[in-house]
Amino acid sequence: MSTTKNLDIYFMDARSKLIDIAAFMDRVELKGENDYRFEAFQQALKAIIGESKGARTKKVLEIFSDRTIEPIDQAGMKGAAGAWNPESDGKSK
């Protein structure tokens, strides 16, 4: 598909998501507390800007991925956190 056609189809949706991301970041940063998920989020944003064409999606997925190589005995919570916590149990790759 051409660049123009991609922009015609997806630009407004991507623009809306960027505005949502900006609002999310403003809300999170209001308290100024550190959190591994927000740190991973910021790394992912930097990767989107800094990576070469075609490598952005892979890099973002790697940033959020669990890097442990050994299974843990028991999950620390019921749901997924959405980002790997570098301070969690397990051995990093």
Side-chain angles (χ1 to χ4, degrees):
M1 196 176 326
S2 73
T3 299
T4 302
K5 188 72 171 170
N6 271 309
L7 286 166
D8 289 346
I9 294 170
Y10 300 112
F11 179 79
M12 292 303 288
D13 183 49
R15 177 185 178 273
S16 172
K17 289 174 182 176
L18 282 173
I19 293 167
D20 287 345
I21 288 168
F24 163 72
M25 292 178 74
D26 286 345
R27 285 191 303 272
V28 170
E29 291 175 329
L30 196 59
K31 296 287 184 179
E33 300 167 359
N34 291 335
D35 186 283
Y36 71 93
R37 296 167 294 182
F38 193 61
E39 290 172 9
F41 191 85
Q42 290 174 309
Q43 287 176 16
L45 288 175
K46 290 175 185 171
I48 290 170
I49 299 299
E51 284 297 316
S52 60
K53 294 178 185 176
R56 293 179 187 104
T57 305
K58 180 181 179 197
K59 183 66 176 178
V60 168
L61 287 170
E62 288 172 349
I63 288 168
F64 289 123
S65 294
D66 184 342
R67 299 178 187 115
T68 56
I69 55 175
E70 298 294 327
I72 58 174
D73 293 329
Q74 184 176 6
M77 59 186 197
K78 289 184 181 183
W84 177 69
N85 184 352
E87 296 179 9
S88 65
D89 293 325
K91 297 180 181 120
S92 163
K93 285 184 183 178

